[in-house]
Amino acid sequence: MTHFERLSSNLVLAVCTLDDGQAPLLGGEAALLHGSTRSRIKEFTAGRCMARAAMNLLGIRPQEILQGPGGEPLFPADVCGSISHSASVAAALVGSQSTLIAVGIDVNDGRPIGALAALDVTWARETRLLMHLGICADEAAAHNFAFSAKEAIYKCQYHVTNYDSLHFHQVRLVAPTSGSADVLSVAGWRVPQKIAATLARVQVNLKVICGVEIAVATYSTIE
């Protein structure tokens, strides 16, 4: 399974099964996998394959994607991107920095995180909001989406701030202030002012592609 969805004129989401994303690596990418397990090599390769496929759809020449100090993928200049995978699929979100400053995604692997673990991720008011807006059908689904959404938000804000100490409970999913009802706004709680200002410009929503749930976070150039 390989699927592409153009979320806007300058933003493409690409998803594939790990077996379908085994194109050759480029440049110095292989060196990043020295000593890695077979499963890690497969995940990494599929993620880079989808990122380059998305770049190609945007008219951007596919090239190597190395890693930053936090393990984040380093996309070419004028491109923002994010990569995620589960045990069976890989996904990449790529956009042009003409309209986007940063993006983040996270694949929901489908395993319920459970009520106990959810206490470290979200709280009742947030899960009720997700169900009220029709984004999630029940509490278990809301727990999983809150986890994925906050992972995607972390990646998105990290590209802007390099802030690596953001915890789940410092990110709040709030009702959209405008536009589509399924595109959530974000607020920070007990975070530095710079981080709160960044989070306030992030939006997140849920995309379902071929049965795969993916949280998508974007930080646009429009204030």
Side-chain angles (χ1 to χ4, degrees):
M1 176 270 291
T2 301
H3 184 87
F4 304 96
E5 184 168 331
R6 190 176 285 271
L7 305 185
S8 71
S9 60
N10 292 315
L11 185 64
V12 172
L13 178 61
V15 184
C16 74
T17 59
L18 297 188
D19 288 335
D20 288 333
Q22 298 303 301
L25 296 174
L26 299 181
E29 291 174 345
L32 300 174
L33 294 170
H34 179 71
S36 296
T37 63
R38 182 175 297 181
S39 61
R40 170 58 182 158
I41 292 170
K42 204 170 188 179
E43 293 161 357
F44 181 97
T45 303
R48 262 52 183 185
C49 177
M50 287 297 93
R52 279 190 275 274
M55 289 165 63
N56 187 58
L57 285 177
L58 289 172
I60 301 166
R61 180 176 62 86
Q63 50 198 284
E64 69 176 357
I65 302 168
L66 300 180
Q67 282 184 342
E72 74 279 11
L74 296 178
F75 282 82
D78 301 324
V79 176
C80 58
S82 183
I83 298 172
S84 181
H85 61 78
S86 68
S88 58
V89 303
L93 181 67
V94 177
S96 166
Q97 288 192 324
S98 62
T99 57
L100 293 162
I101 294 174
V103 299
I105 58 170
D106 189 73
V107 174
N108 179 358
D109 67 6
R111 295 176 298 175
I113 66 171
L116 185 60
L119 294 175
D120 293 325
V121 175
T122 185
W123 49 89
R125 182 177 180 179
E126 197 170 56
T127 57
R128 286 197 299 269
L129 172 66
L130 295 174
M131 291 186 288
H132 173 73
L133 293 174
I135 296 172
C136 300
D138 53 37
E139 190 174 75
H143 290 164
N144 270 42
F145 176 67
F147 179 92
S148 287
K150 293 178 184 188
E151 288 283 352
I153 292 164
Y154 174 89
K155 294 177 183 179
C156 186
Q157 68 81 34
Y158 182 81
H159 285 295
V160 179
T161 65
N162 289 321
Y163 186 71
D164 62 1
S165 301
L166 188 65
H167 301 295
F168 286 114
H169 275 163
Q170 292 179 301
V171 178
R172 295 189 168 186
L173 306 175
V174 297
T177 55
S178 62
S180 176
D182 62 352
V183 179
L184 293 160
S185 296
V186 180
W189 184 66
R190 293 185 177 179
V191 293
Q193 185 176 358
K194 177 183 176 182
I195 308 307
T198 298
L199 292 173
R201 288 183 58 186
V202 175
Q203 293 184 315
V204 62
N205 65 326
L206 173 65
K207 293 292 180 181
V208 181
I209 298 179
C210 299
V212 179
E213 294 189 355
I214 302 170
V216 172
T218 57
Y219 181 106
S220 76
T221 57
I222 303 172
E223 295 193 37

